[in-house]
Amino acid sequence: MSEVLSRIDDIRTQIDQLRNGRTPSVLGTAAAASAGSGSSATSASAFADALAGTSGAGATGATGAAGGLATTPSVAAVKGSVATGSGAAGDDVVSGAKKYLGVPYVFGGESASGMDCSGLVQTVFKELGVSMPRVVPDQARMGAEVPSLAEAKPGDLLVAKGEGHIVIYLGDGKVLHAPRPGKDVQIVDNWYKDSDLSTIRRIVPATGTAAASAAAGASVAGASATSLASLASSLGVTGAGAAGGSGSTDLMTAALQRLMSGGAP
């Protein structure tokens, strides 16, 4: 059993060889012992799939939360990537911005007594722990670029051509912004088209990274458990208790031990 466990890490690095039909050295003995059985190769491939799924659980969390855009663990906003370090998400940006509804437009302002469009953006992100530049042209360089309005998510920033105005996208065709002197911070229908925009920026993930990671991990773990159970059955290992314990780790160990001993049916 200890020998089996010591080889698991080696097997992880050779999964691609298993899937491509080649027999890595770490499984050479088991493959030779079962050379006459077509089910051995199938079992090895199944084990590779199951093991890969188990080791990869949660790997897609951050990427999924960012909508496929590049990410960085930075807390401050950065150029070219979605910043995940603060733990804030797009919905938090929307909630934070709504607190300033009704605040009068004041050029250069960045407080509840008055603010302009970029002052609003900077203040909202600052309260979420995310450092942002002060003026629109600099804010327009932060985060990752979203290709089009069709892919925009709540909390993204829409920057008008000329980079003289910036608004916060709320979803459902709505935006929140500080318009101009004489107006207050307000929610209106988005009047911009893609052709009107200089850029769309995602500063923080569209959804919470923790929730996305947990969901992705649960999904992959469930698929892995199913694969392991199927593999164990094909090798004659019935139930997690066959490995002397409970859970998918014991089932994996029992299945691997059977495979390496050349016991595939």
Side-chain angles (χ1 to χ4, degrees), residues 90-100 124 170:
D91 289 343
D92 300 314
V93 176
V94 171
S95 298
K98 286 181 176 179
K99 295 190 303 183
Y100 292 100
V124 168
L170 305 182

Side-chain angles (χ1 to χ4, degrees), residues 15 18-19 42-55 223-224 227:
I15 286 174
L18 282 169
R19 285 178 172 160
T42 301
S43 298
S45 179
F47 175 77
D49 289 337
L51 186 57
T54 300
S55 62
S224 298
S227 298

Side-chain angles (χ1 to χ4, degrees), residues 49-220:
D49 289 337
L51 186 57
T54 300
S55 62
T60 61
T63 302
L69 303 177
T71 63
T72 175
S74 172
V75 173
V78 297
K79 297 179 180 179
S81 297
V82 176
T84 63
S86 69
D91 289 343
D92 300 314
V93 176
V94 171
S95 298
K98 286 181 176 179
K99 295 190 303 183
Y100 292 100
L101 287 171
V103 171
Y105 179 96
V106 173
F107 180 76
E110 49 191 54
S111 71
S113 61
M115 52 181 54
D116 58 17
C117 63
S118 57
L120 169 64
V121 168
Q122 184 189 50
T123 299
V124 168
F125 279 97
K126 180 179 180 180
E127 291 180 347
L128 294 175
V130 180
S131 176
M132 279 282 282
R134 176 61 182 84
V135 297
V136 177
D138 292 334
Q139 292 175 350
R141 307 292 180 269
M142 295 295 104
E145 184 165 38
V146 176
S148 69
L149 281 168
E151 298 172 67
K153 301 293 183 184
D156 289 348
L157 304 178
L158 313 185
V159 182
K161 279 188 174 177
E163 299 182 351
H165 194 54
I166 190 168
V167 307
I168 299 172
Y169 185 66
L170 305 182
D172 298 324
K174 302 287 186 181
V175 297
L176 184 151
H177 69 145
R180 61 181 183 275
K183 296 288 186 178
D184 298 336
V185 175
Q186 59 188 253
I187 295 173
V188 297
D189 290 334
N190 176 37
W191 68 97
Y192 288 123
K193 302 185 296 292
D194 284 314
S195 58
D196 299 323
L197 297 173
S198 170
T199 186
I200 303 171
R201 313 303 293 190
R202 183 163 302 159
I203 309 300
V204 296
T207 58
T209 54
S213 294
S219 175
V220 175

Side-chain angles (χ1 to χ4, degrees), residues 232 237-252 254:
V237 178
T238 57
S246 61
S248 61
T249 299
D250 294 329
L251 193 59
M252 181 190 298

Side-chain angles (χ1 to χ4, degrees), residues 1-60:
M1 178 67 73
S2 60
E3 181 183 358
V4 171
L5 292 175
S6 70
R7 293 185 180 181
I8 288 179
D9 286 339
D10 292 333
I11 293 173
R12 292 180 190 275
T13 67
Q14 300 186 55
I15 286 174
D16 287 339
Q17 293 182 40
L18 282 169
R19 285 178 172 160
N20 292 331
R22 299 192 302 273
T23 303
S25 59
V26 72
L27 287 179
T29 302
S34 305
S37 173
S39 61
S40 177
T42 301
S43 298
S45 179
F47 175 77
D49 289 337
L51 186 57
T54 300
S55 62
T60 61

